[in-house]
């Protein structure tokens, strides 16, 4: 690929800042890609929305975001949206769509005790898609599930400079830890893209013997696959440029700017999404 060719363009989309955990893995594997990071903060959180409302919202927002950033590949960096809306999204847009879904399969393969934890949003925990993943890939495992919107909120605050205390996290995980087989759990799936942003803090609470598994690396590899299919080479270009798009303005966006700079994002824009 000639060095002056344009970098491959990716759209990485989530309700909030969670997709930045996926962006980090993409940037590690594919440093030459230009990324538009989009947060539908006007409709945050997704994990508690009804299915019909969420499908309609994701469709409307993606439509506008794709028109705005003309990506080569779209990453729906949100388990709550992907476990519900992927078939619908793939039917509506012609760009390759990479979805993020709970890493049940690698967790079940890795677990020796066959007791695994599943930490996600209430929406993802309840989805038939997630139940099917468990039935298909972890039929021999006891899966201890916990849906938490509070943990999503804490991850948002963390990226704005507020780290949760170990007691807060312990409290939050206590329903999972109260399970009769919790002491055998050796693998914990972080099935919300917000949660890897608190990986160190969560690891400190569950202890060093529990492996925390997320989907980030696999997603980055899937993006690389699509770029190769499209004849675009993610690492060839040396001058990618990144931007962040938000669907609502406000001080919460400003408070994210230091964290966004760590991802090479200084261009921050707000795009209005109509409600019809
Ligand atoms: N980061 C998202 C996920 O992976 C959604 C969090 C939310 O908006 O509730 O599920």
């Amino acid at each position: 690929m000639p060095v002056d060719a344009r970098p491959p363009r990716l759209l990485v989309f989530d309700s909030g800042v969670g997709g930045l955990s996926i962006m980090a893995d993409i940037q590690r594997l594919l440093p030459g890609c230009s990324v538009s990071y989009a947060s539908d903060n006007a409709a945050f959180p997704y994990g508690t929305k009804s299915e019909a409302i969420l499908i309609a919202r994701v469709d409307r927002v993606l439509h506008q975001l794709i028109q705005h950033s003309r990506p080569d590949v779209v990453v729906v960096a949100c388990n709550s949206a992907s476990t519900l809306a992927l078939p619908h999204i793939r039917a509506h847009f012609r760009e390759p769509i990479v979805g993020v879904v709970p890493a049940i399969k690698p967790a079940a393969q890795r677990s020796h005790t066959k007791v695994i934890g599943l930490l996600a949003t209430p929406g993802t925990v309840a989805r038939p898609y997630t139940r099917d993943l468990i039935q298909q890939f972890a039929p021999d495992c006891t899966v201890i599930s916990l849906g938490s919107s509070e943990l999503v909120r804490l991850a948002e605050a963390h990226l704005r400079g507020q780290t949760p205390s170990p007691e807060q996290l312990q409290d939050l995980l206590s329903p999972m830890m109260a399970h009769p087989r919790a002491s055998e759990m050796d693998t914990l799936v972080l099935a919300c893209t917000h949660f890897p942003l608190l990986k160190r803090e969560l690891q400190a609470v569950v202890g060093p013997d529990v492996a925390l598994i997320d989907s980030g690396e696999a997603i980055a590899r899937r993006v690389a696959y699509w770029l190769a299919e499209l004849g675009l080479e993610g690492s060839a270009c040396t001058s990618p440029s990144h931007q962040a798009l938000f669907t609502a303005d406000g001080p919460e966006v400003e408070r994210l700017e230091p964290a966004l700079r760590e991802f090479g994002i200084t261009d921050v824009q707000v795009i209005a999404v109509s409600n019809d």
Side-chain angles (χ1 to χ4, degrees):
M1 180 174 174
V3 276
D4 60 350
R6 72 164 178 83
R9 280 194 297 262
L10 308 178
L11 172 64
V12 178
F13 162 70
D14 183 31
S15 59
V17 298
L20 288 171
S21 70
I22 301 291
M23 183 169 171
D25 280 304
I26 291 174
Q27 285 186 322
R28 259 192 292 277
L29 187 68
L30 301 163
C33 290
S34 288
V35 183
S36 290
Y37 183 80
S39 158
D40 184 15
N41 58 327
F44 172 87
Y46 276 4
T48 51
K49 296 237 167 347
S50 82
E51 300 198 346
I53 287 180
L54 187 53
I55 289 179
R57 177 70 191 181
V58 168
D59 188 63
R60 192 177 315 127
V61 175
L62 269 184
H63 198 81
Q64 213 141 326
L65 290 172
I66 288 173
Q67 257 182 358
H68 182 277
S69 56
R70 303 271 168 214
D72 300 302
V73 177
V74 177
V75 181
V76 180
C78 174
N79 292 262
S80 307
S82 296
T83 51
L84 175 69
L86 274 182
H88 181 89
I89 296 168
R90 289 194 171 120
H92 275 74
F93 301 98
R94 60 163 204 277
E95 292 75 9
I97 308 283
V98 179
V100 178
V101 299
I104 300 286
K105 186 181 177 184
Q109 284 168 344
R110 196 208 160 276
S111 174
H112 298 292
T113 61
K114 300 298 170 196
V115 180
I116 65 182
L118 173 67
L119 200 51
T121 62
T124 298
V125 163
R127 300 254 192 272
Y129 187 98
T130 305
R131 274 203 303 276
D132 289 351
L133 278 182
I134 294 171
Q135 255 161 31
Q136 196 181 346
F137 297 115
D140 55 341
C141 294
T142 297
V143 179
I144 310 175
S145 301
L146 177 64
S148 173
S149 283
E150 178 61 8
L151 193 53
V152 176
R153 200 189 60 72
L154 291 179
E156 287 279 331
H158 181 55
L159 246 68
R160 293 172 172 87
Q162 243 180 299
T163 300
S165 69
E167 294 73 29
Q168 250 175 317
L169 293 178
Q170 221 149 20
D171 239 35
L172 206 140
L173 295 184
S174 59
M176 177 174 261
M177 296 311 182
H179 189 280
R181 297 195 65 190
S183 62
E184 295 170 69
M185 184 173 84
D186 65 352
T187 310
L188 176 60
V189 183
L190 304 182
C192 167
T193 53
H194 277 75
F195 300 165
L197 301 172
L198 287 169
K199 192 167 184 175
R200 205 170 7 160
E201 292 75 11
L202 288 167
Q203 189 78 68
V205 171
V206 296
D209 297 335
V210 179
L212 304 187
I213 309 272
D214 64 68
S215 311
E217 265 182 55
I219 297 306
R221 285 198 300 273
R222 191 69 191 152
V223 172
Y225 160 85
W226 273 115
L227 293 179
E229 284 287 297
L230 296 170
L232 300 163
E233 228 53 89
S235 51
C237 179
T238 51
S239 55
S241 67
H242 310 302
Q243 66 171 180
L245 304 168
F246 291 87
T247 55
D249 205 356
E252 290 293 290
V253 171
E254 268 164 49
R255 288 175 55 214
L256 271 179
E257 284 174 5
L260 293 174
R261 273 198 293 279
E262 305 215 343
F263 290 85
I265 301 174
T266 49
D267 174 8
V268 178
Q269 297 180 29
V270 175
I271 62 166
V273 176
S274 63
N275 262 326
D276 42 52

